[in-house]
Structure formats: C-alpha cells, structure tokens
Amino acid sequence: MAAGSVRYVRYILVAFFILAVLYFVSNSSPVGPALTIPTSKTQPADKNAQPTTKEAPNTHKISTNYDADKYPLALKPGDPGWDDLTTINSGPRMNATFVTLARNGDVWEIAKSIRQVEDRFNRRYNYDWVFLNDQPFDDLFKKVTTSLVSGKTHYGLIPTEHWSFPPHIDQEKAKKVREDMAQKKIIYGDSISYRHMCRFESGFFFRQPLMMNYEYYWRVEPSIKLFCDIHYDPFRYMHENNKKYSFVLSLYEYIDTIPTLWDSVKKFIKNHPEHIAAGNSMAFLSDDGGETYNKCHFWSNFEIGSLSWLRSKAYLDFFNSLDQDGGFFYERWGDAPVHSIAAGLMLPKDQIHFFNDIAYYHVPFTHCPTGEALRQSLRCHCDPKENFDWKGYSCTARFFDINNMEKPEGWEQEKDA
Ligand SMILES: Nc1nc2c(ncn2[C@@H]2O[C@H](COP(=O)(O)OP(=O)(O)OP(=O)(O)O)[C@@H](O)[C@H]2O)c(=O)[nH]1
Ligand SMILES: [Mg+2]
C-alpha cells in the first residue's frame, strides 16, 4: 500500500475511535456527586452506583421543547391516540424515572409491581427505573428487575449518612421511645430500620447521585397493583400543567406516630414565612387555620412529583428543620405527612394533582375511579366497592372541596354504607 493510502486509513481509524468514545460518553448513565445540584452534564462517577446491568437504548428523545399539539395527550375516550395501547408512544419523553427503595428480599414483590406498571403504562414509554437500597443489591434482584423494566435500570447503594442516626439524636431517648411504642403496639413503633426508611424518603432519596439528573419521579413500592390502563404520559401531564406533586389516595395519619409534628411545622412556618406559598392548601391540613393538624395527608407510597421542588431551598429548609427536631426518631414521623405538609404549605394549591385515572392498590387501600363508563373505557379490573376515595377515613373529598372541584358522578353511592 502506498504511504498516502496508509495515512488515509490511519485517519479513518482515528476518526472512528473518536466517534466511538463520544458515543460511549453520551450514552452512559446520568450520575453526579452526592448532595450537590448538578450544574453541568458531565459529572464525576457515583462511587455508590452499582453496575447497571442493562442499558436499553431509549429511542425517544427527552425534550421539553416540543409542539404539544403535534403529540396530544389522550386524556379521555375519543381523544387522538386513545385506542392505541400497543405501539411505542411517538411523543416526547420527560426527564423522568421510576424510583423504588427496596431490600433484596423484596425482589418478587417488586417484580409484581413492575409487571403491572409495565403492562399498564411503561412498555409504551420505556422510562428508566432507579432502585435504591441500604445494602448492595444482589445479582438475583438486578437480573429479575432488569428483565422486567423496558427502560434502563440503575442500582444505587445509599450512603450510611443517609441511613443512620444523625449525631444530635439522643440514643437513650430514642430507645425508650421504641420500647414504649412496642408496648403500645404501634405499627413499626419498635423498628429502627422503618425510621431510617421514613427519614430517607423524607429527605434523601431525591438527592441520591442516580436521581440527580432527573426532573420527575414516580415512586413504586413492592406489592402494589395498578388496575386500569394509562392512556397518556403522567410525567408529561405534570410538566405541561406545572404540577409539582400528585397523589391517588389520602387519609388521616395515626396520631401516636406524630404527636409533635405539627408543633415543629408551626415553628418552621414562624422561622421561614418566605417559604409559605400564597394560595396554599392549609385548609386541607387544618380545620382551624393552622392552629392544629387535622392529620390529612397524601399517601406517599404512590407519588409522581418534581425532583427539583424536593431539591429546592424551601423543601430542604423544611426537612432540615424537622430533622433537627428529631421526630423521625423520638416519634415515628412518616414520609407521607412530611411530604404532604410540605406540598400543602409550600406549593400553590393548583400545583398538587389528583390522578383519578391511575387506579391503585397498596395494602389495605384501593383507589378505583368512580364511574362505570370511565372504568370500562380504562379497562379497569378493580371492584368499585373497594374505592376508598369517598369513605369517611379518606381526605380526598376535602381535597375536592378546597379546590372547588366537582366530585365525579356516583361518588355519593360509594360513601360508607
Ligand atoms: N432497602 C430497604 N428498603 C426498605 C427497608 N424498609 C422498607 N423499605 C422499602 O421502603 C418502602 C416502604 O416500606 P414498607 O415496608 O412498604 O412500608 P409501609 O408501606 O409503610 O408499610 P407496609 O404496609 O408494610 O407496606 C418499600 O419500598 C420497602 O421496600 C429497609 O430496611 N431497607
Ligand atoms: Mg409499603
């Protein structure tokens, strides 16, 4: 071969090598340093990320700059695209992920949840799924979940600082509380790990490195059920309607787990009036203008929400203030009232959404959409008698009332007998 041709071939090989490196870099998982908000797309690798076992190519571009009219959301029967539940959705994708906190032993229960989420929604959208654990995930967990998720899967190990007692907690006092709660037979009252879980879900899941580059999350727990088809992308609904938090079930909290939570909240309101939103949902949380808590909260085992809201100064100030007061350990504060009170006070009312058409079960409550025609058009398999929305122990009617929303036809027949 002539010297000129050899040089030519060498140029081609070098160009090919550069292209291969660029391709590899642009397709690697989004990771970032713990506890920092990303400022650029290129970030150091996450030391706690476990190797991803599948990198399914997401063929649909994540975009916030799209023509929504070109890809209408199929919100109700008859809308364009309503009848298409088989092809991959051609619309844009949000920067969003499913997220699950689980133990290795939860593998078969989370497998059931994933199967339902995929069958009813994600097989047409292929969103990613982040799994988080305080112990390393084992191969079985990774293999089973990766085989079920249609998008990319990522596995993260939670750092000890996010799953342990902060230094200001008095261990003796916390131990005594657990013993007292065990005597009173308060559910999970004697559990340390449950408390770490609640504190983690309240203050840390959204700033794990694997979560940092996402904008929206959808929380999924083991053993949940989805009863109806989901005909549109709820992440897009959140984005296009400027929603920051959403729920499907709401109820009253067990007061023995949060006796002083509202005192801490009032202290926060006093110290940080700048974080309290105009037009908030105080009326959902309190019947006396904020003096006392009525215990209403959104059930956080299902959530679709904005990660940047949770990472905002307002939310972090709120979490840090509660954490400092110690109620995650001196009582048994749950992440559900913590998220709910934060959303209720620091978001304007219209940024909280009730997903009526996402039918859901987590033991022991069911959200089954009211109205036979709706249930049939969504091909639901839930028993409407099980619907919790309008029962006496649900707070959903209150949510409708404070937002001047009309309750669906037939709701009165679903009240307590
Ligand atoms: N890695 C890890 N995950 C946990 C631990 N405890 C709970 N979780 C997860 O945290 C979430 C909430 O825990 P659950 O035990 O479901 O709590 P719950 O929903 O209040 O109670 P249940 O009625 O038992 O479902 C689930 O996704 C669990 O898999 C733990 O110690 N380690
Ligand atoms: Mg659960």
Side-chain angles (χ1 to χ4, degrees), residues 356-369:
N356 185 41
D357 36 18
I358 301 184
Y360 176 82
Y361 170 81
H362 175 294
V363 66
F365 299 118
T366 296
H367 163 63
C368 183

Side-chain angles (χ1 to χ4, degrees), residues 130-376:
V130 171
F131 296 90
L132 301 170
N133 191 352
D134 58 308
Q135 302 287 323
F137 280 113
D138 61 25
D139 285 347
L140 177 71
F141 190 99
K142 289 197 266 186
K143 245 192 287 179
V144 170
T145 52
T146 291
S147 73
L148 292 168
V149 174
S150 61
K152 291 181 191 174
T153 49
H154 303 282
Y155 300 88
L157 179 60
I158 298 165
T160 315
E161 330 63 284
H162 298 171
W163 196 278
S164 50
F165 293 91
H168 65 273
I169 294 298
D170 175 341
Q171 292 289 340
E172 279 309 307
K173 184 173 163 187
K175 184 159 170 261
K176 173 92 178 48
V177 168
R178 292 195 300 276
E179 286 164 2
D180 287 353
M181 285 197 175
Q183 286 231 313
K184 289 193 204 150
K185 302 216 174 345
I186 294 173
I187 185 167
Y188 299 118
D190 59 346
S191 171
I192 295 177
S193 67
Y194 193 86
R195 287 181 169 80
H196 290 323
M197 181 275 285
C198 290
R199 178 169 176 262
F200 176 79
E201 293 287 23
S202 298
F204 299 105
F205 84 89
F206 48 83
R207 39 186 173 158
Q208 295 305 294
L210 289 172
M211 299 296 289
M212 290 306 282
N213 280 346
Y214 294 105
E215 166 58 33
Y216 294 99
Y217 71 101
W218 179 332
R219 175 169 163 183
V220 178
E221 282 203 2
S223 325
I224 60 111
K225 291 177 190 163
L226 289 185
F227 298 110
C228 306
D229 286 334
I230 299 172
H231 288 249
Y232 62 91
D233 180 350
F235 292 124
R236 255 188 79 193
Y237 184 89
M238 299 287 289
H239 171 69
E240 290 178 17
N241 293 282
N242 194 27
K243 305 286 184 189
K244 304 290 184 208
Y245 191 79
S246 68
F247 72 101
V248 289
L249 282 160
S250 70
L251 68 161
Y252 294 97
E253 183 57 302
Y254 184 12
I255 192 64
D256 286 349
T257 65
I258 51 154
T260 70
L261 173 60
W262 196 251
D263 294 335
S264 281
V265 169
K266 286 203 287 190
K267 185 167 98 183
F268 170 79
I269 295 173
K270 199 157 159 251
N271 290 342
H272 288 285
E274 76 280 12
H275 291 329
I276 306 305
N280 60 40
S281 308
M282 179 61 100
F284 179 75
L285 304 168
S286 173
D287 300 343
D288 50 20
E291 193 45 41
T292 58
Y293 180 35
N294 62 21
K295 296 167 286 182
C296 278
H297 64 287
F298 309 119
W299 219 22
S300 61
N301 47 63
F302 169 99
E303 286 177 328
I304 300 176
S306 158
L307 290 162
S308 40
W309 172 60
L310 291 174
R311 292 189 284 245
S312 68
K313 179 162 171 24
Y315 185 84
L316 291 176
D317 282 348
F318 178 73
F319 170 73
N320 289 335
S321 171
L322 297 193
D323 197 32
Q324 206 52 43
D325 290 343
F328 291 107
F329 299 101
Y330 299 145
E331 296 178 3
R332 207 220 64 196
W333 294 352
D335 52 282
V338 171
H339 288 183
S340 304
I341 293 170
L345 298 182
M346 298 193 290
L347 295 175
K349 278 202 277 210
D350 60 2
Q351 291 187 347
I352 303 178
H353 183 62
F354 170 57
F355 273 111
N356 185 41
D357 36 18
I358 301 184
Y360 176 82
Y361 170 81
H362 175 294
V363 66
F365 299 118
T366 296
H367 163 63
C368 183
T370 305
E372 194 179 4
L374 176 63
R375 285 193 302 274
Q376 285 182 3

Side-chain angles (χ1 to χ4, degrees), residues 72-85 89 120-121 124-125 228-234 357-358 374-380:
L73 291 173
L75 293 172
K76 54 181 191 317
D79 283 355
W82 178 267
D83 293 322
D84 180 7
L85 282 175
N89 185 276
R120 290 298 195 167
F121 170 70
R124 298 186 58 229
Y125 293 85
C228 306
D229 286 334
I230 299 172
H231 288 249
Y232 62 91
D233 180 350
D357 36 18
I358 301 184
L374 176 63
R375 285 193 302 274
Q376 285 182 3
S377 64
L378 296 172
R379 300 198 306 181
C380 305

